[in-house]
Amino acid sequence: QVQLVESGGGLVQAGGSLRLSCAASGRVFSSYTTGWFRQAPGKEREFVAAISRGGGTTSYADFVKGRFAISRDDAKKTVYLQMNNLKPEDTAVYYCAATVKFITGRPYEYDSWGQGTQVTVSS
């Protein structure tokens, strides 16, 4: 497993942008698919985006397509989530996760998780 630490969350107005970072330590990070999930109060954790090892394949939830972009820098052992045109419904705790499986949006297939970072979008 790898250890993951998210950062970059905060309070932003609707239409604004944030960039989340997920810094990894431990085993060879480049071997892991990495995903972002989010959980709003009273709701289940949901898939946001994922990027394969090597970065050649990405996947996005429909509700973020065209607004969010996931990327990775294996030299820095960091994955990013650039979030543009944020909406109040994007308010949630955002989690970074890693898996040795190929790209997937299923939370139970990820075995390493960060502690989460809060994103709040005001209207």
Side-chain angles (χ1 to χ4, degrees), residues 21-70:
S21 298
C22 172
S25 61
R27 302 184 65 182
V28 181
F29 178 65
S30 60
S31 299
Y32 288 79
T33 289
T34 309
W36 286 96
F37 294 80
R38 70 185 188 186
Q39 188 167 18
K43 295 187 177 181
E44 293 187 352
R45 191 167 298 189
E46 62 181 354
F47 170 73
V48 176
I51 187 166
S52 64
R53 41 183 185 272
T57 303
T58 58
S59 178
Y60 295 93
D62 287 344
F63 55 78
V64 301
K65 284 182 179 178
R67 299 191 298 127
F68 292 10
I70 189 170

Side-chain angles (χ1 to χ4, degrees), residues 1 4-5 10 12-13 22 24 33 37 56 63 75 80 85 88 93 118 121:
Q1 292 187 348
L4 305 171
V5 178
V12 64
Q13 289 188 332
C22 172
T33 289
F37 294 80
F63 55 78
Y80 305 97
N85 190 23
V93 177
Q118 176 71 47
V121 184

Side-chain angles (χ1 to χ4, degrees), residues 32-117:
Y32 288 79
T33 289
T34 309
W36 286 96
F37 294 80
R38 70 185 188 186
Q39 188 167 18
K43 295 187 177 181
E44 293 187 352
R45 191 167 298 189
E46 62 181 354
F47 170 73
V48 176
I51 187 166
S52 64
R53 41 183 185 272
T57 303
T58 58
S59 178
Y60 295 93
D62 287 344
F63 55 78
V64 301
K65 284 182 179 178
R67 299 191 298 127
F68 292 10
I70 189 170
S71 61
R72 65 189 297 158
D73 185 336
D74 288 337
K76 295 182 178 179
K77 294 186 178 180
T78 302
V79 173
Y80 305 97
L81 185 67
Q82 178 67 43
M83 305 187 296
N84 300 323
N85 190 23
L86 283 160
K87 304 175 181 180
E89 52 265 42
D90 294 319
T91 295
V93 177
Y94 283 71
Y95 297 89
C96 176
T99 178
V100 295
K101 298 182 183 295
F102 188 61
I103 198 164
T104 173
R106 302 181 182 90
Y108 60 83
E109 294 190 320
Y110 289 78
D111 50 22
S112 298
W113 290 84
Q115 83 291 347
T117 185

